[in-house]
């Protein structure tokens, strides 16, 4: 599986190979989630080296010492297969060949690479005709064949396009899935408030997938009739295979209404950030 393609990781290059003749390695080498992965790997190695050099157990006077090795050394990335969204790569299945420096053992290296996504907890405050003020959130319901469910409830979300415009993508998904247009300033990136630039987002399945979620919240006042019109509204892009209907649920009961990791993570971050006075 010799290959002329490689990933740039800091000052070194990692071979990018495949045994699948249908895989276009040139295209894979330009896949933005893979480039982001390589960049993060370089940062992780630099941080590990810096920590080892600053450790009190590190003997800096030893002239025979060699450069510290990171705790995990990645030697090769094999591309098993790719799936396309039209002309561009949507997903890539990889096998990362790596070794634990101390023991020489191999850590799990299978990766389903798909890149990041945005999700938004939309909190709508409205006053009923009887004068009761309540808060609701909007759930989308659509077929999810991986579960499988024909009507799975979750908060609005969508894959990132590689532009890095998290807020713009979030607003776009709300418009496409819910038919709701919001000012960008009304969307608050909860993951940035919680973690700064340390992490790209929240990782729902780090054991085998690179996907991260930028979790947003938006609080909006809405008239009662306008709120009621959202229930059952159809959304999504039909030419993209989306078949979405909307559902309203009281915010206090949202955790019971949907076993959606995006929703549950958003609720946890929202409540924690409120408790810390950041929201």
């Amino acid at each position: 599986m010799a290959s002329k393609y490689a990933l740039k990781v800091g000052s070194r290059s990692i071979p990018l190979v495949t045994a699948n003749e249908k895989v276009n390695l040139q295209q894979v080498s330009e896949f933005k989630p893979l480039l982001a992965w390589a960049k993060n790997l370089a940062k992780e190695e630099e941080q590990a080296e810096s920590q080892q050099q600053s450790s009190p157990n590190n003997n800096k006077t030893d002239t025979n010492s060699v450069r510290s090795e990171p705790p995990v050394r990645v030697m090769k990335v094999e591309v098993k297969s790719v799936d396309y969204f039209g002309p561009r790569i949507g997903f890539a299945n990889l096998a990362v060949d790596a070794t634990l420096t101390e023991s020489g053992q191999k850590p799990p290296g299978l990766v389903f690479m798909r890149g990041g996504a945005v999700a938004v907890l939309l909190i709508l405050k409205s006053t009923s005709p009887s004068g009761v003020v309540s808060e609701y959130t909007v759930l989308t319901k659509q077929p999810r064949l991986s579960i499988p469910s024909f009507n799975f409830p979750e908060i609005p979300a969508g894959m990132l396009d590689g532009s890095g415009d998290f807020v713009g993508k979030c607003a776009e998904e709300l418009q496409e899935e819910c038919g709701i247009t919001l000012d960008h300033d009304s969307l608050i990136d909860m993951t940035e408030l919680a973690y700064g630039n340390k992490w790209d987002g929240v990782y729902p399945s780090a054991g085998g997938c690179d996907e991260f979620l930028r979790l947003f919240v938006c609080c909006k006042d809405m008239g009662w009739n306008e709120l009621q019109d959202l229930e059952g509204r159809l959304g999504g892009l039909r030419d993209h295979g989306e078949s979405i209907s909307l559902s309203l649920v009281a915010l206090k009961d949202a955790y019971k209404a949907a076993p959606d990791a995006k929703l549950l993570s958003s609720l946890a971050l929202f409540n924690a950030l409120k408790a810390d006075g950041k929201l």
Side-chain angles (χ1 to χ4, degrees):
M1 292 187 290
S3 174
K4 64 178 180 179
Y5 296 99
L7 290 175
K8 191 70 174 177
V9 178
S11 60
R12 67 191 186 96
S13 295
I14 295 176
L16 183 67
V17 303
T18 185
N20 186 342
E21 61 183 15
K22 295 182 179 180
V23 170
N24 182 334
L25 280 181
Q26 174 65 46
Q27 197 172 18
V28 175
S29 70
E30 299 168 355
F31 187 36
K32 289 184 178 179
L34 182 58
L35 296 177
W37 179 87
K39 182 179 179 180
N40 286 337
L41 176 61
K43 287 168 53 179
E44 192 74 8
E45 290 183 350
E46 290 171 3
Q47 289 173 5
E49 182 180 342
S50 176
Q51 289 172 359
Q52 288 178 347
Q53 290 177 347
S54 62
S55 170
N57 296 324
N58 183 39
N59 184 3
K60 296 183 179 180
T61 62
D62 184 0
T63 57
N64 295 320
S65 63
V66 295
R67 180 172 174 168
S68 301
E69 283 285 314
V72 180
R73 174 61 71 177
V74 176
M75 282 82 69
K76 180 177 63 178
V77 174
E78 180 183 354
V79 185
K80 296 291 189 179
S81 64
V82 295
D83 293 288
Y84 288 86
F85 294 166
R88 66 183 181 89
I89 294 177
F91 306 131
N93 288 290
L94 312 176
V96 179
D97 182 11
T99 301
L100 299 177
T101 304
E102 185 175 346
S103 66
Q105 294 181 326
K106 298 283 189 181
L110 295 178
V111 179
F112 176 62
M113 186 162 286
R114 53 168 291 156
V118 295
V120 58
L121 177 67
L122 182 58
I123 299 175
L124 302 175
K125 182 182 291 186
S126 188
T127 304
S128 71
S130 62
V132 177
V133 179
S134 301
E135 289 182 321
Y136 297 85
T137 192
V138 177
L139 300 179
T140 64
K141 293 185 176 181
Q142 58 186 309
R144 292 302 195 192
L145 296 181
S146 57
I147 298 177
S149 170
F150 298 152
N151 214 24
F152 186 70
E154 53 195 307
I155 58 175
M159 291 179 63
L160 291 168
D161 55 13
S163 68
D165 182 10
F166 302 129
V167 176
K169 185 61 179 178
C170 191
E172 178 186 313
E173 289 300 325
L174 276 174
Q175 175 60 44
E176 290 179 357
E177 294 193 356
C178 304
I180 296 174
T181 302
L182 295 173
D183 294 331
H184 289 194
D185 290 344
S186 65
L187 291 162
I188 300 172
D189 188 343
M190 294 192 291
T191 42
E192 183 178 39
L193 282 180
Y195 310 114
N197 61 4
K198 181 177 182 180
W199 301 105
D200 288 329
V202 172
Y203 292 84
S205 187
C209 184
D210 72 315
E211 182 184 22
F212 63 87
L213 301 171
R214 300 291 291 209
L215 300 178
F216 287 77
V217 66
C218 177
C219 300
K220 177 181 174 64
D221 291 327
M222 182 173 283
W224 184 254
N225 290 335
E226 185 182 1
L227 180 76
Q228 299 308 307
D229 286 343
L230 291 176
E231 183 67 42
R233 178 186 290 180
L234 300 181
L237 300 177
R238 292 304 193 264
D239 57 345
H240 287 192
E242 295 179 338
S243 179
I244 296 173
S245 62
L246 304 187
S247 176
L248 286 173
V249 60
L251 182 63
K252 63 182 179 63
D253 296 326
Y255 77 96
K256 296 184 288 187
D260 173 34
K262 301 182 297 298
L263 167 65
L264 299 175
S265 298
S266 294
L267 289 172
L269 265 185
F270 178 70
N271 290 327
L273 290 169
K274 278 184 66 177
D276 281 349
K278 294 182 180 181
L279 279 178

